[in-house]
């Protein structure tokens, strides 16, 4: 309701005060621009979508094993964490042009940026989750001569799920931003590219339209991760 | 009552005969700043088969460390632990453990939590022990409930089932009722005695409550602060099964009083008398 009211207020004030469309288009202007642009919006959305997803999945594929490594050995933890921290301290926006030099104009550098931003919350949260079981339950398993594999399969991994999913929820929205940053630096397709292209021609309504699509994508992906989380750990948050 | 002096054992006798024996065990911890802390030094204790042994002593006097050593999770720095004459060098899978927190796995139902040790040991519950144990502790009908649906006392009952599912020789309990409210605690004590009466095994039980110790134990081992030593061992001569009324006998009060005195004399009254 608040959201609809805000949209109406925006629409009304835009018309009453006669704000130029290239400065701040009204919601109707944005919808109009999107409809006018037509079918290639799907292509741009799709490109950004799969760059996001690929980067995100890559971050899971690498983040989870590294989280296990970090949990498993103090030595590995002391080696890996500083390295990860360095990669996190470098602003991705600054790093993106270099990726462009390395990997060219294709989709890959965007996927890499999406991966880099998503990686950190996944490894940190998963590692926290893997360490969350109480020392007592681990002692109980060890006293029963459980193998490391059993301890991970039966105790650490299920315990880590809620933390893993909070990492994923942060990571998925960051992945969208990462893909867009990648596109800003140099691209011929994607919603990020569309923002750059339309603003350079003062097609502000279209730039806003691309942002709306990006926001929608983010929200839907977040909702999807949250839904999977609820299905995977229904017990979480009900312990007390 | 045995004093500390007659607890020394000659080399030749090591581990022979007794059920569980801790011989001249010392445990030294390295602290963060490189120093050393002694949990206990030259500690000796023997535990008989099927007895209910209770350890009381001030916080941080190494009782949990001692329990870990007995189950084979933590090797002593010096000395040894023997189980039926064999030195304990690795975790004893034929022991069961209960902690202050129930430590149930929140994604598993009551039954699946109880089955965890069986799964880890790669066995099957061919005798349907899970069902019988859950009935024994009064959790019949709660088998498919999730831990968050249970009260603290019920969670702890479930944890006791989990500790008993693989029919262990020894039940090791580290302040199992310490996190429960006073009324639940009393009830759990009664329940534990009932279970123990029907399912007799050796119990090694740590508590801060002297009354609980006197009520449950065959023998109460009173420990001193770090480095821990045995201040005294009190034999509780009430008959089994124990009844509620025994708590009001003058003899009960005398036991509680004498244990309190031992602790106060050595530790300056660190313990609460409940």
């Amino acid at each position: 309701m608040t959201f609809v009211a805000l949209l109406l207020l925006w629409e009304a004030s835009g018309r009453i005060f006669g704000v130029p469309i290239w400065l701040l288009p009204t919601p109707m202007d944005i919808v109009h621009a999107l409809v006018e642009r037509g079918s290639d919006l799907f292509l741009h959305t799709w490109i950004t979508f799969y760059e996001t997803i690929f980067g995100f999945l890559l971050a899971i594929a690498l983040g989870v094993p590294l989280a296990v490594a970090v949990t498993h050995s103090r030595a590995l933890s002391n080696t890996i964490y500083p390295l990860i921290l360095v990669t996190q301290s470098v602003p991705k926006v600054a790093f993106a042009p270099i990726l462009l030099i390395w990997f060219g104009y294709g989709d890959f550098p965007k996927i890499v940026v999406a991966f880099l931003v998503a990686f950190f919350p996944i490894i940190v949260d998963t590692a926290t989750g893997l360490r969350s079981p109480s020392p007592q339950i681990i002692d109980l398993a060890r006293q029963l001569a459980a193998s490391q594999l059993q301890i991970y399969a039966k105790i650490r991994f299920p315990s880590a799920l809620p933390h893993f999913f909070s990492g994923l929820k942060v990571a998925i929205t960051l992945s969208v931003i990462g893909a867009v940053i990648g596109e800003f630096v140099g691209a011929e397709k994607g919603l990020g590219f569309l923002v750059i292209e339309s603003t350079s021609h003062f097609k502000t309504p279209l730039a806003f339209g691309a942002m709306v699509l990006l926001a929608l994508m983010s929200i839907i992906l977040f909702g999807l991760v949250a839904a999977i989380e609820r299905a995977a750990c229904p017990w979480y948050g009900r312990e007390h | 009552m045995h004093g500390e002096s007659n607890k020394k054992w000659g080399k030749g006798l090591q581990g022979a005969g007794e059920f569980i024996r801790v011989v001249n065990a010392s445990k030294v911890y390295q602290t963060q700043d490189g120093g050393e802390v002694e949990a206990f030094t030259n500690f000796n204790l023997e535990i008989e088969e099927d007895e209910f042994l209770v350890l009381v002593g001030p916080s941080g006097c190494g009782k949990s460390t001692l329990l870990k050593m007995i189950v084979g999770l933590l090797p002593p720095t010096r000395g040894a632990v023997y189980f039926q004459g064999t030195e304990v060098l690795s975790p004893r899978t034929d022991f069961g453990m209960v902690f202050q927190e129930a430590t149930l796995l929140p994604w598993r139902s009551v039954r699946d939590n109880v089955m965890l040790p069986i799964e880890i040991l790669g066995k099957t519950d061919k005798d349907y022990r899970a069902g019988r144990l859950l009935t024994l502790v009064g959790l019949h009908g709660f088998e498919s409930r999730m831990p968050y649906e249970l009260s603290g006392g019920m969670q702890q009952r479930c944890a006791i089932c989990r500790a008993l599912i693989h029919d262990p020789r020894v039940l090791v309990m580290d302040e199992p009722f310490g996190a429960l409210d006073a009324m639940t605690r009393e009830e759990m004590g009664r329940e534990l005695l009932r279970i123990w009466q029907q399912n007799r095994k050796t119990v090694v039980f740590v508590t801060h409550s002297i009354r609980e110790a006197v009520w449950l134990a065959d023998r109460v081992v009173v420990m001193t602060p770090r480095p821990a030593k045995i201040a005294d061992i009190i034999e509780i001569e009430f008959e089994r099964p124990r009844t509620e009324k025994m708590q009001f006998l003058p003899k009960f009060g005398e036991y509680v009083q004498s244990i309190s005195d031992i602790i106060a004399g050595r530790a300056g009254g660190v313990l609460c008398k409940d």
Side-chain angles (χ1 to χ4, degrees), chain B residues 23-36:
Chain B
V23 183
N24 286 325
S26 303
K27 185 66 200 176
V28 180
Y29 277 113
Q30 305 286 327
T31 55
Q32 291 277 344
D33 48 21
E36 288 187 344

Side-chain angles (χ1 to χ4, degrees), chain B residues 200-264:
Chain B
R200 205 64 178 246
K201 33 187 109 251
T202 309
V203 178
V204 185
F205 188 105
V206 166
T207 181
H208 279 117
S209 161
I210 296 169
R211 295 190 63 87
E212 190 172 77
V214 172
W215 195 39
L216 297 176
D218 290 319
R219 291 192 299 153
V220 178
V221 177
V222 188
M223 288 168 73
T224 66
R226 206 184 287 248
K229 284 198 167 66
I230 295 175
D232 212 337
I233 297 178
I234 316 287
E235 305 238 8
I236 308 295
E237 284 157 353
F238 288 125
E239 61 192 31
R240 304 262 182 198
R242 299 274 161 91
T243 60
E244 216 74 356
K245 284 185 202 139
M246 290 175 184
Q247 297 203 29
F248 304 105
L249 294 175
K251 186 77 182 152
F252 191 93
E254 283 166 29
Y255 280 130
V256 171
Q257 188 61 51
S258 64
I259 292 171
S260 302
D261 287 347
I262 296 164
I263 290 162

